[in-house]
Amino acid sequence: RRRHTRCLSDWSSDVCSSDLADRVLLVAGAVAVLTLGPPGPVVILLWVVLVREVAIAAVTVSLALAGARRIDVVWAGKAGTLSVMFALPAFLLADAVDEGALVFSLIGWGFAISGIVLGYYAAVRYVPEARVALAEGRAARAAAEPAT
């Protein structure tokens, strides 16, 4: 395990290396697909994905500012992100081709639905971990401060 410090810049650099890259890539892909004017159900799906990503990012920054220790990522969250990343090009292919559009659409929906389920499952799993991380981070910070 890596050592985690109480400094926000250390905390964020620990998290940002892969988590931020995943979020930026996913949000950029979702926004790019939205600008192409996909069918209504795909728009709803993408907004569900974007809401989760923005919420997770906001909570991550809030926890860091509040002094929480770093929370390890959950496998389900990474798998969910990857699944949605596979869904986006499948939806684009379904829109771009005549033959095989149904196949690409089904592939896209399969990845998208599983990705959303995994992503929201991971978000629910983060709630108790966030509470513990906040308590432990604040306790460590209080113990490290010199007594006055």
Side-chain angles (χ1 to χ4, degrees):
R1 280 182 81 105
R2 294 187 288 193
R3 183 170 86 67
H4 304 296
T5 62
R6 65 185 182 92
C7 177
L8 175 62
S9 62
D10 291 342
W11 192 96
S12 62
S13 66
D14 232 5
V15 171
C16 288
S17 59
S18 70
D19 295 342
L20 181 61
D22 287 351
R23 297 213 190 303
V24 168
L25 182 60
L26 189 58
V27 168
V31 169
V33 172
L34 282 172
T35 61
L36 297 174
V42 175
V43 171
I44 293 168
L45 165 99
L46 292 175
W47 279 109
V48 168
V49 169
L50 289 173
V51 165
R52 179 197 174 272
E53 293 305 316
V54 169
I56 293 292
V59 168
T60 300
V61 170
S62 298
L63 284 170
L65 293 173
R69 68 160 171 77
R70 181 183 174 274
I71 299 172
D72 292 327
V73 295
V74 176
W75 176 88
K78 288 288 189 186
T81 299
L82 181 63
S83 189
V84 172
M85 286 182 186
F86 278 15
L88 296 177
F91 287 134
L92 291 175
L93 284 169
D95 189 51
V97 299
D98 291 328
E99 289 187 31
L102 178 61
V103 171
F104 286 120
S105 183
L106 291 173
I107 290 170
W109 280 108
F111 279 117
I113 290 169
S114 63
I116 288 173
V117 168
L118 287 169
Y120 276 91
Y121 167 74
V124 169
R125 286 212 29 218
Y126 284 132
V127 172
E129 288 191 38
R131 289 181 180 151
V132 171
L134 186 57
E136 288 176 358
R138 286 181 173 172
R141 186 172 57 190
E145 290 179 2
T148 57

